[in-house]
Amino acid sequence: MSKQYSSDFVDTIMRPPPSKSEVVKRVMRANKTRGTSLELKIRKEIRAAGFKGARFNLSEIPSRPDIAFVGQKIAIIVNGCFWHGCKRCIKKTPKTNKKYWSWKIESNRKRDRRNAACLRRLGWRVYRVWEHDVKKGDLQSLMTWLKASLKKHA
């Protein structure tokens, strides 16, 4: 059975421009979607804090959050600043293929909002972690939120 997409989604599909070099093609293909270094750092912190029951990239959960505590309906989404258009870090789009990158990043942001809204409608609590927080080692707010959220469902 094929996925059903809304007409506004189909109308906005834009293909990436063909890459001009094999090097660029290899670099783009090497970008991981799961098990990134950011996710691994957060997983390590969660384990070190003694939180148990975390599951990772479960396809059974709508929007497939990066980290989930299924029984408690807690989802943690890890966003890279460039790919998800962090307003704090990314001030301008790349100079090459500007139209494509503007579209791509804005599409990612719309999808992020849609996915978080879907999870919330289903009763999930959602926390978004940005790349700049992970790189600075600033995960205290996540850990505080997670502790309070897990305590609420205990």
Side-chain angles (χ1 to χ4, degrees):
M1 187 160 89
S2 66
K3 286 185 176 181
Q4 296 295 314
Y5 295 105
S6 66
S7 60
D8 60 327
F9 176 78
V10 175
D11 292 341
T12 60
I13 292 177
M14 183 179 211
R15 295 252 177 244
S19 66
K20 293 182 172 102
S21 77
E22 279 302 311
V23 174
V24 170
K25 211 180 271 189
R26 265 197 315 274
V27 167
M28 294 305 286
R29 285 186 180 150
N31 288 318
K32 293 164 75 172
T33 57
R34 287 180 247 148
T36 64
S37 61
L38 301 174
E39 283 181 42
L40 297 177
K41 284 180 184 177
I42 293 171
R43 290 180 191 183
K44 186 177 177 182
E45 287 290 320
I46 287 171
R47 273 191 230 101
F51 299 122
K52 301 215 184 317
R55 305 285 306 274
F56 312 106
N57 300 295
L58 293 176
S59 58
E60 308 88 65
I61 301 171
S63 84
R64 192 183 287 190
D66 299 303
I67 302 167
F69 291 84
V70 181
Q72 296 85 3
K73 287 192 167 185
I74 294 171
I76 300 169
I77 298 168
V78 184
N79 282 348
C81 290
F82 173 76
W83 296 105
H84 296 271
C86 173
K87 297 291 186 189
R88 184 172 165 191
C89 298
I90 309 301
K91 303 297 182 206
K92 50 188 165 181
T93 14
K95 291 178 184 174
T96 308
N97 301 315
K98 209 173 191 97
K99 184 178 177 183
Y100 170 75
W101 285 112
S102 295
W103 169 84
K104 174 67 176 159
I105 292 166
E106 189 53 38
S107 295
N108 288 348
R109 296 182 89 220
K110 284 179 183 176
R111 187 188 65 235
D112 293 342
R113 287 190 297 270
R114 205 172 45 243
N115 287 344
C118 174
L119 286 168
R120 286 187 181 105
R121 274 193 307 277
L122 295 171
W124 285 73
R125 299 193 66 196
V126 179
Y127 191 93
R128 183 174 318 280
V129 181
W130 286 96
E131 175 182 6
H132 59 257
D133 292 327
V134 177
K135 284 186 172 178
K136 285 191 309 188
D138 185 13
L139 296 175
Q140 190 56 46
S141 61
L142 166 64
M143 293 302 149
T144 302
W145 178 86
L146 188 54
K147 184 178 182 179
S149 295
L150 289 171
K151 196 178 280 188
K152 226 180 230 189
H153 287 85

